[in-house]
């Protein structure tokens, strides 16, 4: 039998960790075998998959010893939104093929075949990925892997964030690829009922990051039934864990579940309800578990963050967090952070509770702890609205609100304008005006240049650059107008001899390039900018691509900022000193951004971002789409040159 | 734990590129967020007396300092600063594409300082000196383009306000931000993060 994946004495010690996450791991997997990787939380399953994919070595965040031999592998991650790296579905699926250096024509063939393979051929490839539902998004990520025909598929909790139906679609797509390609698969998943019937073999990892057992699926399932339940794994066929029976009282509250496929806008509805309650009742009656639990952290320790000694101690114990109470809350795992956030939402026994996916990422035991707390809050009279895709939890709710799927509206960078001038054309014209402004040396020259510049802006308008603009859109010019007025006044007032003419010339000179500059900049499409920087300016590909991916996250970060402002208001954390508040908000956003950056880095490295050839030389990246540059760019540049040159006539 | 090495590794890892790019983009968004926290009051005062506005110049230099302190490699300040400037362009700003000129200057100071120290020192003084030098370059540019007609005395006030802000807001602030980020364990993949954790 040919082995296409082998590990010998693999030990992984992350920088700063007190001990290895993986200890002395050895196993071989023959071509085509499907392996399920099971173990308690923190056993190092994700680390093992990262190591096998080669990403861990590229990240250089841990000391790796031992030997890994693997054919090229594709790695599918838990949260497809983090793993999204393209402005459009096409560009996202093409990312791996671009890293591998395929020519553009081949890439577009590979992409359309891969989209068909995962059952997404009906999706328009120029849609922004964020407009897809969670299940579609995960299959899009799979298509990005499948496009390169990997001999090994590594799946890290690929269905944990998905509702049952979406999860089934992902499984089907994976299974079809495995069947048609004969690829090997290694799958880690807490709720492994999705995968158990396609698995040939189970490798069991222990709490120490070592292999406890390794054998055929049936033998392991029978032998480890109790061990798995003890670890809190969701063993298939077992019913939901037993809950404390709550005694109904006269003032018992109600639990309403908000359900719908991933991506149907549950979070949006929940947040709207929150705003409404906040306006009507104020923050003291409200408890909120937001999507990003990290924002609720307030204090140097878990205990302090939950509300300090007293009631919080009991609550932490009830949620299985007592052994972490003195730890830095930022060091908690994702699931633990959600429970801490729940504790801080419950601490003041609020009348209204809004919970966004309270059970996601919880193992069986912690699931019961979380649900018990929700039920207790209900008997104490709380009105609870929760967004969830968890079937066991939905069953316990009093009322269910189903949301319909509708294509998500996506606020995407660089799609506002329909101006077909490329970013280099826009920036080039801005720079020509900037250079030309130095020719302005008299009031007459300044006024003439302004008149010509007006025609230039009209030219852009004729191109359709301001389509969809309303008079109110002009407010983007307001800061510039204030700035120019300030320049005019201060250059007069703060000058040595208070002459108005030089000050007016200075202000008009600035206005000459700033006003059109702001309008032109608003039309820049960052995806095109990256393509031009890489292909026309021949800037190094990796920084250009990293910058382009980061710029895509801008609207996500805006949403995060707003969510954070709201969380701090609801939790009563808002500082009265505005400067201090801005500092706290900045640090909070940066922490979340860095965390997402780590996931993005993994997703990009898993698709060959830093890949080298057999000689250790970096593979030259190709571009799936040629850089835009056309006659309108020349026309705009010519217009800018003409505006600048007109100044010469009146100097 | 001794983490100092004699020969700094100056080639960029993937995680250097991606983390600093994402952090810079997030800082750009934070600047946008300040619209509702700090700026309205500040704008009103400083529109009539721009020398005082230079006291917030350091805010715009923050990404450069944070990039340099985090990545510790040539070009880190420029890379981060240019990305933050692009976020400004996307979200709408005062000065249009000229922010690309200013941001190059705002990165130059700190780049020169860390180069001069051969990428071996990244302490609070380096950050403050870098922030101040970056601010100096920017102010000189502004002398020519924004405030050419000021009297020498007001130019001096303008310069002092800008340089103080570069040292304090960008230098001290950037250093504190990287350190606070390091303490949360979010940047353990970087020497800056590991140093913040062990000290």
């Amino acid at each position: 039998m040919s082995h296409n994946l082998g590990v010998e004495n693999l030990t992984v010690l992350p920088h700063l960790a007190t001990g290895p996450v993986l200890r002395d791991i050895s196993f071989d997997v023959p071509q085509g075998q499907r392996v399920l990787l099971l173990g308690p939380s923190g056993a190092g399953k994700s680390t093992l998959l990262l190591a096998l994919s080669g990403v861990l070595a590229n990240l250089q965040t841990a000391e790796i010893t031992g030997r890994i031999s693997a054919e090229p592998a594709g790695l599918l991650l838990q949260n497809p939104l983090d793993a999204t790296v393209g402005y459009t579905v096409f560009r996202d699926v093409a990312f791996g093929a671009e890293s591998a250096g395929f020519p553009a024509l081949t890439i577009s063939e590979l992409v359309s075949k891969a989209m068909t393979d995962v059952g997404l051929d009906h999706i328009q490839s120029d849609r922004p990925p964020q407009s897809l539902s969670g299940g579609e998004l995960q299959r899009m990520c799979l298509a990005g892997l499948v496009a390169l025909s990997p001999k090994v598929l590594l799946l890290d909790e690929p269905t944990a964030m998905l509702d049952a139906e979406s999860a089934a679609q992902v499984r089907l797509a994976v299974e079809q690829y495995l069947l048609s390609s004969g690829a090997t698969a290694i799958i880690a998943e807490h709720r492994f009922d999705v995968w158990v019937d396609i698995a040939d073999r189970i490798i069991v990892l222990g709490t120490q990051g070592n292999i406890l057992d390794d054998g055929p699926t049936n033998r392991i399932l029978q032998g480890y039934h109790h061990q798995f339940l003890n670890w809190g794994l969701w063993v298939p066929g077992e019913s939901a864990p037993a809950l404390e029976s709550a005694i109904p009282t006269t003032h018992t509250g109600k639990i309403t579940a908000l359900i719908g496929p991933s991506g149907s806008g549950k979070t949006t509805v929940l947040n709207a309800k929150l705003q409404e309650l906040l306006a009507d009742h104020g923050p003291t009656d409200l408890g909120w578990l937001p999507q990003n639990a990290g924002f609720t952290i307030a204090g140097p320790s878990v205990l302090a963050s939950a509300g300090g000694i007293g009631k919080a101690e009991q609550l932490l114990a009830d949620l299985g967090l007592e052994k972490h109470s003195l730890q830095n809350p930022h060091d908690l795992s994702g699931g633990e952070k959600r429970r801490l956030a729940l504790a801080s939402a419950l601490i003041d026994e609020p009348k209204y509770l809004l919970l966004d996916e309270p059970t996601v990422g919880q193992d069986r035991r912690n699931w019961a702890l979380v649900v018990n707390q929700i039920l207790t809050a209900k008997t104490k009279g709380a009105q609870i609205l929760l967004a969830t895709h968890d079937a066991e939890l939905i069953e316990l709710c009093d009322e269910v609100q189903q949301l319909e799927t509708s294509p998500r509206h996506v606020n995407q960078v660089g799609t506002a304008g329909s101006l077909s001038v490329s970013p280099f054309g826009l920036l080039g014209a801005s720079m020509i005006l900037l250079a030309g402004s130095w020719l302005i040396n008299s009031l007459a020259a300044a006024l003439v240049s302004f008149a010509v510049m007006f025609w230039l802006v009209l030219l852009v308008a004729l191109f359709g650059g301001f389509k969809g603009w309303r008079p109110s859109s002009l407010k983007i010019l307001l800061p510039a107008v204030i700035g120019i007025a300030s320049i005019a006044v201060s250059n007069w007032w703060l000058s040595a001899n208070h002459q108005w003419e030089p000050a007016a010339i200075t202000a008009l000179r600035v206005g000459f390039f700033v006003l059109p500059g702001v309008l032109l900049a608003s039309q820049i499409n960052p995806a095109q900018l990256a393509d031009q920087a890489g292909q026309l300016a021949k800037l190094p590909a990796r920084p250009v691509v990293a910058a382009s991916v980061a710029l895509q996250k801008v609207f996500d970060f805006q949403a995060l900022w707003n969510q954070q402002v709201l969380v701090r208001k609801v939790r009563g954390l808002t500082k009265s000193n505005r400067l201090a508040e801005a500092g706290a908000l900045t640090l909070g956003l940066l922490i979340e951004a860095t965390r997402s950056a780590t996931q993005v880095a993994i997703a990009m490295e898993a698709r060959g971002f830093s890949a080298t050839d057999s000689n250790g030389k970096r593979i030259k990246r190709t571009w799936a789409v040629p850089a835009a540059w056309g006659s309108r760019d020349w026309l705009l540049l010519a217009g800018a040159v003409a505006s600048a040159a007109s100044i010469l006539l009146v100097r | 734990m001794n983490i100092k090495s004699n020969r700094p590794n100056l080639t960029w890892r993937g995680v250097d590129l991606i983390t600093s790019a994402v952090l810079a983009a997030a800082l750009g968004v934070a600047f946008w967020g300040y619209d509702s926290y700090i700026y309205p009051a500040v704008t009103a005062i400083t529109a009539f007396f721009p020398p005082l506005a230079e006291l917030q110049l350091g805010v715009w230099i923050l990404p450069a300092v944070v990039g340099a302190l985090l990545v510790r490699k040539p070009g880190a300040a420029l890379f981060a600063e240019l990305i933050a400037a692009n976020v400004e362009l996307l979200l709408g700003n005062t000065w249009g594409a000229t922010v690309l000129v200013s941001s190059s200057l705002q990165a130059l100071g700190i780049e020169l300082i860390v180069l001069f120290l051969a990428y071996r020192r990244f302490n609070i003084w380096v950050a403050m000196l870098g922030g101040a030098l970056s601010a100096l370059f920017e102010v000189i540019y502004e002398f020519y383009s924004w405030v050419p007609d000021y009297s020498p005395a007001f130019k001096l006030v303008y310069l002092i306000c800008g340089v103080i802000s570069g040292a304090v807001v960008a230098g001290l602030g950037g250093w504190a931000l990287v350190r606070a980020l390091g303490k949360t364990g979010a940047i353990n993949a970087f020497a800056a993060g590991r140093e913040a954790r062990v000290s």
Side-chain angles (χ1 to χ4, degrees), chain A residues 398-451:
Chain A
D398 304 295
E399 205 180 284
V400 173
Q401 265 181 46
Q402 169 88 41
L403 291 181
E404 296 305 321
T405 332
S406 55
R408 245 186 291 193
H409 171 72
V410 176
N411 199 356
Q412 211 197 14
V413 271
T415 49
S418 53
L419 178 61
S420 45
V421 177
S422 72
F424 270 23
L426 296 163
L427 290 175
S430 297
M431 292 303 153
I432 290 170
L433 293 178
L434 173 63
S437 72
W438 292 101
L439 296 171
I440 295 173
N441 63 352
S442 70
L443 212 49
L447 291 173
V448 168
S449 68
F450 246 69

Side-chain angles (χ1 to χ4, degrees), chain A residues 331 486 490-491 494-495 506 586, chain B residues 32 34 47 146 149-151 197:
Chain A
D331 286 341
S486 159
S490 68
N491 272 295
L494 303 178
S495 66
T506 301
T586 305
Chain B
W32 157 86
Y34 296 162
W146 308 135
D149 310 316
Y150 280 24
S151 69
R197 288 289 270 193

Side-chain angles (χ1 to χ4, degrees), chain A residues 220-271:
Chain A
I220 300 280
L221 279 184
Q222 279 157 19
Y224 281 83
H225 190 88
H226 288 289
Q227 178 72 78
F228 287 168
L229 282 178
N230 245 338
W231 281 341
L233 298 190
W234 291 87
V235 179
E238 281 289 322
S239 53
L243 299 164
E244 289 162 22
S245 51
I247 305 137
T249 58
T250 45
H251 58 277
T252 296
K254 191 172 80 176
I255 308 180
T256 308
L258 211 51
I259 65 166
S262 338
S264 54
K266 298 190 287 282
T267 296
T268 316
V269 173
L270 202 65
N271 288 2

Side-chain angles (χ1 to χ4, degrees), chain B residues 163-176:
Chain B
V163 172
I164 288 177
S165 176
V168 176
V169 178
L172 189 64
W175 178 84

